[in-house]
Amino acid sequence: MKATDMLNKVKEVIGIELSEETQEIKLAQATLENGTIIEAEEFAEGKEVFIVTEDEKVALPVGDYKLEDGQELIIEEEGIIKSIGEATEEAPAEEEVEAEEVVEAAEEEMAYATKEDLAEVKSMIDEIKAMIDKKDELSVEKTVEEIVEEVKEELSEVEKVNHNPEASDSKTLNLYSQNRGTSTIDRVLQKISNIKK
């Protein structure tokens, strides 16, 4: 018996049991909308998913991804599929709906003004300006008169002060340590100050 025949016989006997264990796992591939190729054993919840690169496989980061076939892939833990299914159209947020309603209400309230409306508004503004001018004039006159009266009252209450420049306070000068004995340093400084140049 030749060696190749023997080897084939061994493969037949052992190969059935080993083929299940050593069989390579074929991974399913999918493409994201942006063209990135991802790979998983099976695209189902709880399965691992990787980005296929030239050198290695990288775990798919956390996020929501759309596949080319329109399905949405949600990853909440890096490299683990949380859910996969048809892409759902998100309802607009409540704030956006409220903002749209406010804009629509403002547009309904906003109507084009006619010349008559503008003339009426202008006359009302002129009346208000005239009233403000009259009030300002009266208030200015009153305030000036009030200020003059207050100043007169304050001046009448103030006592008159006469200035006497000749009367001055005599300041006493306190010289300390005048009667103490001279030390060596005092004598040296005194000799230095007496040097004539």
Side-chain angles (χ1 to χ4, degrees):
M1 193 186 239
K2 291 186 177 180
T4 54
D5 292 333
M6 226 166 136
L7 189 56
N8 287 336
K9 190 139 185 139
V10 171
K11 282 185 181 178
E12 286 177 16
V13 173
I14 301 175
I16 296 170
E17 295 171 11
L18 289 178
S19 65
E20 293 174 5
E21 292 176 10
T22 59
Q23 181 181 5
E24 284 190 29
I25 300 172
K26 293 191 177 184
L27 299 175
Q29 286 192 346
T31 307
L32 298 177
E33 274 187 333
N34 63 4
T36 305
I37 298 172
I38 58 173
E39 204 172 68
E41 182 178 332
E42 178 184 357
F43 285 99
E45 290 182 29
K47 299 292 182 177
E48 292 182 345
V49 64
F50 302 96
I51 298 173
V52 177
T53 62
E54 293 176 8
D55 301 330
E56 60 185 349
K57 294 179 183 177
V58 179
L60 191 63
V62 175
D64 296 347
Y65 302 94
K66 281 193 176 182
L67 301 175
E68 279 187 338
D69 61 1
Q71 290 186 332
E72 185 174 21
L73 182 67
I74 299 173
I75 308 295
E76 282 193 354
E77 184 180 331
E78 190 170 307
I80 306 292
I81 299 173
K82 180 183 186 265
S83 67
I84 186 168
E86 293 300 318
T88 57
E89 191 66 35
E90 292 184 16
E94 290 180 24
E95 295 173 1
E96 293 175 3
V97 171
E98 289 177 11
E100 289 174 5
E101 290 174 0
V102 169
V103 168
E104 288 173 4
E107 287 175 353
E108 288 175 8
E109 289 178 7
M110 223 187 312
Y112 293 104
T114 62
K115 289 183 180 181
E116 294 83 26
D117 292 339
L118 292 176
E120 191 176 319
V121 170
K122 186 177 179 183
S123 66
M124 293 170 71
I125 291 173
D126 291 338
E127 289 176 17
I128 292 171
K129 282 183 179 178
M131 290 171 50
I132 291 173
D133 290 340
K134 287 180 184 176
K135 189 174 184 181
D136 285 345
E137 289 174 8
L138 293 174
S139 63
V140 169
E141 290 174 6
K142 287 181 182 178
T143 54
V144 169
E145 291 173 2
E146 290 172 0
I147 292 172
V148 169
E149 289 176 17
E150 288 177 13
V151 170
K152 284 181 181 178
E153 289 175 13
E154 288 178 9
L155 290 175
S156 65
E157 294 174 3
V158 174
E159 294 179 14
K160 292 186 178 181
V161 178
N162 292 330
H163 181 65
N164 187 357
E166 293 177 3
S168 62
D169 294 336
S170 61
K171 295 183 181 178
T172 58
L173 183 62
N174 294 326
L175 300 173
Y176 297 103
S177 302
Q178 291 296 316
N179 295 328
R180 70 177 177 88
T182 59
S183 66
T184 308
I185 193 140
D186 292 336
R187 288 188 298 254
V188 169
L189 291 174
Q190 189 175 26
K191 294 231 182 204
I192 290 173
S193 66
N194 287 335
I195 296 176
K196 295 182 182 177
K197 293 184 181 183

